[in-house]
Amino acid sequence: MTGQEDSRTPGKRVAAIDCGTNSIRLLIADITRDDHGAAQLTDVVRLMRVNRLGQGVDASGRLAPEALERTFAAAEEYAALIREHGASRVRFVATSASRDAENRQEFVDGIRERLGVEPEVISGDEEAALSFAGAASVFAGGNGAKTLVVDLGGGSTEFVLGDGSGVLAAKSTDMGCVRFTERHLLSDPPTEAEIAAARADILDMIASALATVPLAETDRLVGVAGTITTVTAAALDLREYSPDAIHGTELSREQIDATADALLRRDRSARAALPYMHPGRVDVIGAGALIWRTIVDRVDELTDGRVASAFASEHDILDGIALSA
């Protein structure tokens, strides 16, 4: 063995599951540590299913039976893959929709039965920390630069400001592409009045985050999760969805504004025809794009134009969950 091999921590195979409001995702990965002790992930399986667990939760406060059925079916598929690939550790994390639901115990019991692990319904603060850890690979944290990571999900959006030492401030808000589609954007395509009402609500949510997270101190803006990567794919006019093409891409405020506006004003059939559009995002991408555009615009204003662009990261809370395992 070489000295380098001796100093490298042997790898372990872990499985991470992120169950959000719109999708449930699996990452099976091998974790090793380099000579400096930094953890590194090597993907074995990375998979997403749109389960729309948050269907109707904003209005009813309950998980719908059909949403639970979709989620349990995905969990059974993931359990088989975890067994096949021999992961030694499994961590299942659930976020916004299951936090909000009155009948979340039904969800917890169903997941435990199928996967043999207790699903963790985590707080918004813990979600924010995991998202920051997962997104860290897209930027360098040196020179005291502060990075704002925005994790835009189906039911919640996390604002996390951090630097090379970790998270400095974080806020989880009840704002997401599924929640705001159901709450505001009811027409196809949405009306000007619906868009205006949604934008006002978004600005209120950003203001609530600003009370905790000093957004004006941002030096770099990084967005994670499917809405932001899909907006990036649209701006790049990709022929198909390509994580390699999307990851690390920097777009200007003007590019994001124009792309978000185009997605918002298309009807569902036009969005469905886009080659990079996942079928499970067709009906909610308009609201998600409006949220992302409004955040980017507001950060630009708060930083007096210092931060007039944003990066997209394909590494997010799912990677953070795997690293924590």
Side-chain angles (χ1 to χ4, degrees):
M1 283 190 180
T2 67
Q4 182 177 13
E5 289 169 336
D6 286 338
S7 65
R8 186 177 294 276
T9 302
K12 65 169 67 173
R13 181 162 291 181
V14 301
I17 299 173
D18 167 36
C19 185
T21 299
N22 193 49
S23 63
I24 180 169
R25 300 181 299 151
L26 169 69
L27 172 60
I28 300 174
D30 292 328
I31 301 182
T32 57
R33 292 192 180 276
D34 63 19
D35 296 336
H36 304 289
Q40 297 178 323
L41 290 176
T42 302
D43 289 11
V44 178
V45 174
R46 191 180 286 262
L47 192 60
M48 179 187 78
R49 296 287 181 257
V50 173
N51 59 335
R52 196 61 61 83
L53 182 62
Q55 173 190 334
V57 169
D58 191 53
S60 70
R62 295 182 61 82
L63 299 170
E66 59 269 32
L68 286 169
E69 288 177 12
R70 291 190 296 267
T71 302
F72 293 156
E76 289 170 0
E77 177 188 6
Y78 290 176
L81 286 168
I82 291 167
R83 289 193 298 270
E84 176 185 345
H85 291 282
S88 61
R89 180 80 183 273
V90 180
R91 188 178 184 193
F92 186 111
V93 164
T95 54
S96 177
S98 43
R99 278 199 300 265
D100 298 341
E102 296 172 3
N103 60 332
R104 72 178 186 177
Q105 193 59 46
E106 185 178 350
F107 162 78
V108 169
D109 293 343
I111 294 299
R112 187 193 308 112
E113 177 184 342
R114 288 160 176 83
L115 281 164
V117 296
E118 188 77 11
E120 302 171 51
V121 182
I122 62 172
S123 68
D125 287 346
E126 186 172 2
E127 182 177 357
L130 288 170
S131 295
F132 188 85
S137 62
V138 79
F139 56 85
N143 301 321
K146 294 180 180 178
T147 297
L148 177 66
V149 172
V150 175
D151 183 351
L152 202 172
S156 68
T157 296
E158 282 66 50
F159 296 80
V160 195
L161 188 68
D163 59 16
S165 65
V167 175
L168 302 173
K171 174 69 174 179
S172 180
T173 60
D174 288 335
M175 170 174 67
C177 60
V178 174
R179 191 187 295 271
F180 272 40
T181 298
E182 293 180 351
R183 183 181 295 179
H184 293 295
L185 305 186
L186 305 179
S187 303
D188 181 31
T191 66
E192 291 299 327
E194 289 171 347
I195 293 170
R199 182 177 285 111
D201 204 353
I202 296 164
L203 289 170
D204 286 344
M205 292 289 178
I206 296 172
S208 73
L210 190 56
T212 303
V213 182
L215 302 180
E217 296 180 11
T218 301
D219 296 309
R220 186 186 296 106
L221 176 57
V222 177
V224 303
T227 285
I228 293 166
T229 59
T230 301
V231 170
T232 305
L236 296 173
D237 196 23
L238 297 182
R239 300 280 183 173
E240 61 181 2
Y241 189 92
S242 170
D244 289 341
I246 293 165
H247 182 64
T249 292
E250 182 180 13
L251 297 176
S252 68
R253 172 182 175 171
E254 291 76 18
Q255 288 175 294
I256 292 168
D257 285 357
T259 304
D261 192 61
L263 288 170
L264 181 63
R265 297 180 189 283
R266 285 188 173 103
D267 62 20
R268 287 186 177 87
S269 62
R271 293 196 297 265
L274 297 170
Y276 47 78
M277 184 67 65
H278 190 284
R281 299 201 187 281
V282 169
D283 60 332
V284 297
I285 190 62
L290 179 61
I291 293 169
W292 181 226
R293 170 188 180 167
T294 308
I295 291 170
V296 173
D297 290 352
R298 192 73 183 104
V299 170
D300 182 19
E301 293 162 1
L302 288 166
T303 60
D304 295 326
R306 283 189 303 104
V307 182
S309 64
F311 294 87
S313 174
E314 284 282 351
H315 298 291
D316 54 23
I317 187 174
L318 188 60
D319 301 74
I321 295 166
L323 290 167
S324 71

